[in-house]
Amino acid sequence: FRGYSMVNGLPEFRFAVDGVAVRERIEAAPGGGLRCTFEMEQPTAEIEFQAPPDTSVSSAGRRLNPDPERWVKIPRAAPTRFEVLIPGPAAGIPVRSATETTNER
């Protein structure tokens, strides 16, 4: 972990994986859920990302399909950028806010 900053009111985390600098931005996705955008300046090899269930991964505007164990291969480029879309809760499922959870303790 190399820190974080707020960019246009949104968190951007900085960390390194195998010596490669990574930036991750998190924002609300249209229609609910989250969009996580990962950027690497000069990856040394193809990127492999294990996608959580029910997410979609895209790079350069096209969807990337995971293998049966949910690993996605992202082609090496300079810079490399990919997005992970995490859907929001399904309609009709109650969601409690962090404030509600804290007040119950």
Side-chain angles (χ1 to χ4, degrees):
F1 182 73
R2 295 186 173 166
Y4 77 96
S5 58
M6 299 299 286
V7 178
N8 297 325
L10 300 171
E12 180 177 273
F13 298 93
R14 295 179 308 279
F15 53 95
V17 177
D18 294 333
V20 175
V22 179
R23 290 189 319 268
E24 177 187 8
R25 282 187 306 281
I26 301 172
E27 62 186 309
L34 296 173
R35 176 183 300 136
C36 302
T37 303
F38 295 86
E39 291 187 49
M40 290 139 278
E41 292 300 320
Q42 296 185 337
T44 56
E46 179 179 71
I47 306 297
E48 292 187 71
F49 178 81
Q50 190 169 32
D54 301 322
T55 61
S56 64
V57 179
S58 62
S59 179
R62 60 172 233 218
R63 186 176 176 156
L64 303 174
N65 296 315
D67 67 17
E69 293 178 353
R70 307 245 1 112
W71 285 99
V72 177
K73 293 185 184 218
I74 294 129
R76 181 177 173 220
T80 293
R81 176 187 160 136
F82 67 97
E83 294 182 349
V84 178
L85 183 61
I86 304 167
I93 296 176
V95 177
R96 297 189 312 186
S97 70
T99 305
E100 292 171 319
T101 304
T102 304
N103 290 337
E104 290 178 3
R105 295 184 187 161

